[in-house]
Structure formats: structure tokens, C-alpha cells
Amino acid sequence: MVHTLPEEERELLDVVRAYVAREVAPRAAEAEAEHRFPRERFDELARMDLTGLAFPEDVGGAGLSYRTYLLVLEELARGHATLALAVSVSSLAAYALEAFGTEDQRQSLARPVVEGRHLGAYCLSEPHAGSDAASLSCRAERDGDVYRLTGTKAWVTHGGVADRYVVFARTGGDGPKGISAFAVDPDQPGLEVHAPEQKMGLTGSPTAMLGFDDAPVPADRLIGGEEGIGFGIAMSALDGGRLGISAVATGVGQAALDTALGYAREREQFGRPIVDFQGVSFLLADMATQLEAARTLYKDAASRRDAGYEVSKVCSMAKLFCTDTAMRVTTDAVQVLGGVGYTRDFPVERYLREAKVMQIFEGTNQIQRLVIGRHLQRGT
Ligand SMILES: Cc1cc2nc3c(=O)[nH]c(=O)nc-3n(C[C@H](O)[C@H](O)[C@H](O)COP(=O)(O)OP(=O)(O)OC[C@H]3O[C@@H](n4cnc5c(N)ncnc54)[C@H](O)[C@@H]3O)c2cc1C
């Protein structure tokens, strides 16, 4: 598929693939075992200009297509899902600031995230507002030249290590129209970061709850300088974010297939490599086919986004299909490896644990079906 890309972008993918094989993949298991966010790898990506590939050049991005960005994400995820997720989540925050911020916010707040000097975080979920994000209750009350934020944001990827938080809070009445978005500093007075969640996978990617207690956020940090546009910003960012997760999930699935195939060629039973048994080769064939379909779907959605079409439905379709595929493929990879697949001697059990959460965050796969169903009802 890569051969359909322009020459320059194909060369970029070759560089990324070589970098991932050399620097990223060999260190992934250790970072996950130590529950350590690999900030030094993220900084390397910034130096390689890989953190803002699809952002406009006037804020420090590379101005490349979303499709190219996703192919790079997939390569990163093949080596280390936590690192690919870091780029994807940081891009969510950057997008909110770049696409909806005032010109001053675009330059002073979006640019450092696009350039990877700042790591971004996107704070929408709350303990009582997950799938029903529009019911969020964190409040932002205007008080002179500040907004006073009070409430709790849950499940913040990069909570405690981010340099820029994009926080959604209620400035008005109930429902989506009462929500606004704010750019919050990590050392914001009144902000407390709770201990990281103890997760089953993506253990190198810190996830934490943020508590705001009457935190005075300067009024010029209201994104877009306008109240009530926050939910639209959150949903628009999630369209792109869901494609990011699609690519990351596909990369994790591909890594699982690569490992399973390599093992099946080497491992002998009954005097033959197990890949010779139809029961194993059919499993591998299904895994490869499903991954190719997943890749095709996210690339097509990205191409439509690049062409300026409304993509909400296809973004949900890609997220649903790619993450369900990653779950199936990683589960089958464990099966191909037999007993050792269930141990930490091989990475496939980690891939399986990583794939699971991708069916949950950025909208569970039930919510993706809900979005797709609504589009079908409306005929859009
Ligand atoms: C590792 C991790 C990282 C995360 N990172 C972030 C982040 O950076 N920023 C952020 O804002 N959030 C983040 N999240 C939160 C994530 O987006 C939510 O967990 C997710 O949206 C689901 O919300 P919930 O956990 O409250 O589940 P709930 O909404 O309580 O859902 C529970 C179950 O009910 C189902 N359900 C709910 N409503 C419906 C419905 N209408 N129809 C059918 N089924 C339904 C769900 O699909 C799910 O199976 C992260 C979560 C995790 C686990």
C-alpha cells in the first residue's frame, strides 16, 4: 500500500520504520515493565519533526496528509504502543488549540505541542461522565480575569507528565452547549494530579485523575475566546483521535502477526514447522487479511478527511473495526505461540493487553456503533 504514497512520504516511512526497529521496539518491554513513560523517545520524535506531521506549517507542523500521519503512527505502534499513543493523544490537545484557538493561542499554546516541545493531554472524561461526556460537571465560573475551575477529570492520559492540559468544563447550563474548553498549565494553582491508575496494559502510559479546587485559570486560556463551543471542539478532536487509535491498533495487531509468523516458521512439532499445519496457517491468513482490511479502512477515512469530507461516521467505523481486529489478532497470536504466548518471554501477551483498551477509550466500541447507527438513521 505504501507504494501509492508520494516519494517523499515513502522515504519518511522508511526512516520511521528503521528508527522504530533500532531504537523503539527493543526498549518497549522494559518501559512497560517499569511503568515508565518514555519521554526521551517522545523528545526524539520531536527532534525528528514527527509530532506535528499533519498540522499546518504556520504553527510548526509538517503540513503532510492525515493519511501519512496515520501510517507513521502505525509504524510507531508496531514498536511501542505507548509511544504511538503519546503522539496521538498529544495531537488531540494540539488540534483543539490549533483548529479552534485564537491566533495568539495557536502560536503560544498550540505550536509547542505541535513541535513536541510540550506533551499534550485531553481531559474530557469524568468519574460520572464517561460515554455520556456531555453530562460532565466540572465547573468553570468567571471571576474577573480568571475562570475558577472546580471538579474532577478522570482517566487523563499523560496525567502528571503533560506540559499542556486541554480541559473541558461547564460555563453554562446543562447539556453540550454549556461546555467550554480551557488550556491549563501543569503547575496551575488549585490543580492536583492523583496517583496513576494501575492498568492491565499500556503501563508505560500514565493515566491519572485531575482534581480542580477553585483553580484560577486566566480568562485568556478560554480556547477560541468563546464560551459554549467546548463540546464541538471535543467531538471534532475525537474524529481525528479515533483515526489515530485505528492506526495504533492496526500497528499493535501487525506486531502480533509478525511475532506469530516468525514463531510459526521456527517452532517444530510432529517433525515439521507448525506453519505447515493448515490449522495454524489459516489462523495467520485470517489475521493478515483482517489487518489489511483494517488498514484500508483507516486509510480511506483519512483520505476522505484530507479531501475535506465530513468523516464522523467513517472515523467511528474505522475505530470500531481496527480495534476489534487488533483484539482478535492479538488473541490469535497468543494461540499460535501456544504456552509461551501466555508468558512474558514473548510480547504477544502485552499486545493483547494493549489492544483491549483500544476498544474502550476515545469512545467505547458500543458508542462507535451508536454514532454509526445515528448516521444511518439520518441518512448521512
Ligand atoms: C487507559 C485509558 C486512557 C484514557 N484516556 C483518556 C483521556 O486521555 N482523556 C479522556 O477524556 N478520557 C480518557 N479515557 C476515558 C475513556 O474515554 C472512557 O473510559 C470511555 O469513554 C468509557 O467511559 P466509562 O469508562 O465511564 O464507561 P461507561 O460510560 O460507564 O460505560 C460502561 C459500559 O457501558 C456501555 N455503554 C454506556 N453507554 C452506552 C450506550 N448508550 N449504549 C450502549 N452501551 C453503552 C459502554 O460501552 C461500556 O461498555 C481513558 C480510559 C482509559 C481506560
Side-chain angles (χ1 to χ4, degrees):
M1 303 304 274
V2 171
H3 59 270
T4 59
L5 288 171
E7 176 73 20
E8 190 193 15
E9 301 187 3
R10 209 171 347 131
E11 283 172 10
L12 171 68
L13 277 184
D14 289 342
V15 168
V16 173
R17 193 167 297 147
Y19 166 73
V20 168
R22 194 180 61 244
E23 305 289 343
V24 177
R27 298 184 167 98
E30 192 183 320
E32 293 299 310
E34 293 172 355
H35 293 217
R36 187 177 58 76
F37 180 67
R39 180 67 192 235
E40 68 284 4
R41 295 280 91 68
F42 184 82
D43 292 343
E44 264 169 17
L45 297 182
R47 286 195 289 279
M48 292 166 77
D49 292 329
L50 293 176
T51 55
L53 287 174
F55 284 93
E57 289 169 279
D58 77 320
V59 291
L64 297 178
S65 68
Y66 215 75
R67 188 178 120 123
T68 303
Y69 158 61
L70 294 186
L71 288 167
V72 168
L73 266 192
E74 183 186 332
E75 291 300 331
L76 293 177
R78 255 171 110 163
H80 194 180
T82 283
L83 187 64
L85 183 72
V87 175
S88 183
V89 170
S90 199
S91 297
L92 272 184
Y95 174 80
L97 294 162
E98 185 280 315
F100 296 94
T102 61
E103 191 46 36
D104 182 50
Q105 290 170 338
R106 292 179 78 243
Q107 295 304 331
S108 62
L109 302 172
R111 180 181 277 275
V113 187
V114 169
E115 291 177 346
R117 289 180 284 122
H118 283 177
L119 178 69
Y122 170 94
C123 315
L124 179 65
S125 303
E126 295 182 0
H128 299 290
S131 297
D132 184 11
S135 71
L136 65 82
S137 61
C138 181
R139 282 218 67 88
E141 301 282 357
R142 182 79 193 237
D143 178 11
D145 56 3
V146 299
Y147 281 89
R148 295 195 173 275
L149 263 63
T150 301
T152 307
K153 306 309 288 187
W155 303 110
V156 176
T157 297
H158 304 152
V161 296
D163 309 292
R164 170 65 54 228
Y165 294 102
V166 168
V167 178
F168 298 91
R170 192 166 294 285
T171 48
D174 289 349
K177 292 203 169 75
I179 297 171
S180 301
F182 296 88
V184 175
D185 292 343
D187 58 357
Q188 167 68 49
L191 163 62
E192 186 197 353
V193 180
H194 293 240
E197 304 292 344
Q198 297 298 308
K199 308 195 301 288
M200 68 183 265
L202 286 177
T203 44
S205 173
T207 314
M209 197 135 88
L210 305 188
F212 289 94
D213 183 9
D214 208 24
V217 174
D220 64 2
R221 296 304 184 82
L222 174 68
I223 299 177
E226 201 183 325
E227 292 185 7
I229 60 170
F231 198 69
I233 296 175
M235 292 302 113
S236 180
L238 274 184
D239 277 347
R242 285 168 182 169
L243 288 185
I245 298 305
S246 305
V248 174
T250 306
V252 170
Q254 186 63 51
L257 173 60
D258 295 344
T259 309
L261 182 59
Y263 185 85
R265 284 189 182 129
E266 295 292 322
R267 171 73 174 170
E268 292 193 3
Q269 287 295 280
F270 302 97
R272 296 156 69 186
I274 60 169
V275 75
D276 283 357
F277 300 119
Q278 201 176 62
V280 173
S281 72
F282 276 18
L283 211 52
L284 293 166
D286 284 347
M287 291 158 75
T289 306
Q290 288 161 14
L291 283 170
E292 202 54 42
R295 188 172 293 117
T296 302
L297 190 55
Y298 87 61
K299 282 170 60 178
D300 179 65
S303 297
R304 292 192 208 198
R305 189 183 200 273
D306 287 328
Y309 291 109
E310 208 287 310
V311 286
S312 197
K313 180 176 74 178
V314 286
C315 290
S316 284
M317 287 175 164
K319 200 272 183 183
L320 169 63
F321 189 81
C322 294
T323 59
D324 278 359
T325 296
M327 195 64 228
R328 263 196 311 274
V329 166
T330 53
T331 305
D332 287 347
V334 172
Q335 193 69 21
V336 169
L337 269 73
V340 294
Y342 199 64
T343 70
R344 303 234 158 140
D345 294 343
F346 285 84
V348 285
E349 61 80 34
R350 168 161 67 84
Y351 299 145
L352 184 152
R353 290 184 284 107
E354 290 170 346
K356 182 61 218 173
V357 77
M358 296 180 196
Q359 296 179 305
I360 295 171
F361 58 27
E362 302 215 8
T364 67
N365 283 4
Q366 284 83 4
I367 294 304
Q368 307 309 324
R369 289 183 173 89
L370 205 112
V371 172
I372 298 161
R374 280 188 191 140
H375 277 283
L376 294 176
Q377 274 174 335
R378 289 199 300 260
T380 54

